[in-house]
Amino acid sequence: MDDQLEALRSEALAAIDAASEEAALEQARIKYLGQAGALTAISKGMRDVSKEEKPRLGKLLNDVRGAITVALEDRKRALAARADAAAFANIDVTLPGAAHRLGTLHPITQLLDHAVGIFRRMGFAFADGPDIETEFHCFDALNTPADHPARNEQDTFYLPDGRLLRTHTSTVQIRTMEKETPPIRIIAPGAAYRRDEIDATHLAQFTQMEGLYVDEGVNLGDLKGTLEFFFRELFGKDAKFRFRPHFFPFTEPSFEVDIKSTALGAADKWLEIAGCGMVDPAVFEAMNARRGDLAFDPERYTGFAFGFGLDRLAMIMAGVPDIRYFTDNDQRFLAQF
Ligand code: DAH
């Protein structure tokens, strides 16, 4: 049995050494260590071995098994290392990598960030509110009674529970005055929704930017100065303005702002870009009633508000002929910004 074991050891080690790939190595493992393998066969002979010889032969058997096992593992590691080396041999690690094309911020987002930055310099803080709103925040509190045409079902998206998708960001004026007290100076960009027929100048969802300033002694001059400063930062110092009397339920007096600027292509044409006005005292009274205090005492406080569409502004600034380009998600369009 000694001879058999020693012969098996040399044969197995030689076979393992000669195995040049993993499959051959696995064959060797099965042949020598497998359940029906050579070592198992020899170990069956232990039954006939004398009691005195058993411990010594048992130890030899384990030695041989151990030696073959270690040789198999070593060889396996060596083969794997060789395969790795071969795989890396043809790689030129000095070649430049495959570059990912970096995206940019959406043009509306870029304009929004820029606009918020300008207002921040004037001390306006960022505020926001939910897109799904109550009629109270979208209309009633903004002095827009139930029979006002803006509340028509055809103009707005109503949810079954009576809430609606806000038709303007003016709702954030109300959201802010519910929880803050004067002085208030906020800017609120966000989505607005209307049940409009979609065409080159209308989307069912668009982006607005709202502003509200409430304090003692705020007047029309402050409103004009603030908006003119903002739009000059955006369009250049040569911009000309026209504050045209208009009507909004929540401001009195109200204006539409027209601008003329060479930066906007048509240097001699007035373009309407914003709505604004002095906060109607009825809005302050609605807030006081809601809050149950006199935080917005109309005898003490005045304010101005304004709102404009960022999509429209971006279209004018970049000469984009169709608002739908902003939502088509076409790389050829977006990559230009
Ligand atoms: N909410 C108005 C709209 O969507 C825009 C607007 C006009 C906002 C006058 C204002 C404002 O804050 O004072 O058409």
Side-chain angles (χ1 to χ4, degrees):
M1 196 160 170
D2 278 82
D3 293 346
Q4 273 182 312
L5 280 168
E6 287 307 341
L8 180 69
R9 188 204 302 257
S10 353
E11 187 194 323
L13 293 186
I16 289 166
D17 213 34
S20 59
E21 53 185 52
E22 255 200 71
L25 199 61
E26 178 61 9
Q27 286 299 314
R29 188 190 66 76
I30 292 165
K31 182 170 176 191
Y32 300 109
L33 295 186
Q35 263 175 15
L39 199 66
T40 313
I42 295 176
S43 67
K44 286 195 176 127
M46 284 294 279
R47 275 187 303 231
D48 311 322
V49 166
S50 70
K51 214 173 152 197
E52 295 73 42
E53 283 282 72
K54 237 180 200 145
R56 193 185 61 77
L57 279 171
K59 184 172 177 302
L60 183 59
L61 196 80
N62 280 336
D63 280 355
V64 172
R65 179 182 286 117
I68 295 173
T69 306
V70 168
L72 280 167
E73 280 165 7
D74 285 353
R75 187 69 188 149
K76 190 167 181 175
R77 226 173 288 129
L79 287 178
R82 208 173 66 186
D84 283 351
F88 282 119
N90 293 322
I91 291 179
D92 181 352
V93 295
T94 65
L95 281 176
H100 267 294
R101 263 197 14 179
L102 263 192
T104 57
L105 292 176
H106 189 276
I108 302 290
T109 307
Q110 289 182 33
L111 176 60
L112 193 155
D113 288 349
H114 186 188
V116 170
I118 297 170
F119 279 111
R120 271 194 196 284
R121 268 155 51 208
M122 289 190 275
F124 283 77
F126 185 96
D128 69 0
D131 288 18
I132 298 175
E133 265 296 6
T134 65
E135 289 199 55
F136 174 78
H137 292 90
C138 199
F139 298 124
D140 299 274
L142 286 161
N143 199 30
T144 308
D147 58 2
H148 193 279
R151 298 180 68 149
N152 192 307
E153 263 181 55
Q154 300 315 312
D155 290 340
T156 313
F157 297 97
Y158 281 88
L159 275 70
D161 66 5
R163 288 183 302 162
L164 46 89
L165 296 184
R166 66 182 182 193
T167 56
H168 51 186
T169 46
S170 302
T171 55
V172 185
Q173 293 186 32
I174 305 307
R175 290 275 165 195
T176 305
M177 287 190 277
E178 273 179 337
K179 48 182 208 280
E180 316 268 337
T181 55
I184 284 175
R185 206 183 307 184
I186 54 124
I187 196 78
Y193 306 82
R194 303 235 175 123
R195 210 154 171 163
D196 276 332
E197 207 65 61
I198 292 173
D199 60 25
T201 52
H202 296 86
L203 287 174
Q205 180 189 332
F206 54 104
T207 313
Q208 282 194 333
M209 185 139 171
E210 192 79 17
L212 174 68
Y213 187 2
V214 182
D215 203 350
E216 284 180 40
V218 177
N219 61 43
L220 197 49
D222 299 324
L223 167 60
K224 250 185 126 223
T226 303
L227 285 185
E228 289 188 5
F229 176 83
F230 169 72
F231 285 116
R232 284 209 171 100
E233 286 295 293
L234 219 49
F235 297 130
K237 302 272 178 267
D238 76 323
K240 304 235 172 339
F241 299 90
R242 190 166 74 177
F243 284 68
R244 201 167 18 82
H246 196 75
F247 174 78
F248 295 105
F250 37 91
T251 43
E252 179 59 34
S254 305
F255 305 89
E256 275 188 339
V257 184
D258 297 339
I259 188 168
K260 220 190 234 183
S261 149
T262 47
L264 298 179
D268 50 350
K269 216 176 112 203
W270 288 111
L271 294 166
E272 181 238 307
I273 45 169
C276 65
M278 300 305 293
V279 177
D280 194 308
V283 174
F284 287 150
E285 268 150 23
M287 291 322 303
N288 290 335
R290 175 82 162 184
R291 299 169 54 105
D293 61 17
L294 205 64
F296 292 88
D297 182 355
E299 296 299 321
R300 184 172 169 200
Y301 294 108
T302 50
F304 68 69
F306 57 86
F308 52 86
L310 284 175
D311 317 69
R312 184 174 151 71
L313 217 54
M315 284 173 77
I316 298 173
M317 289 173 78
V320 176
D322 192 318
I323 195 171
R324 290 168 290 195
Y325 282 132
F326 290 127
T327 52
D328 281 350
N329 227 5
D330 187 330
Q331 285 288 320
R332 291 169 301 177
F333 172 73
L334 295 172
Q336 297 177 53
F337 295 88

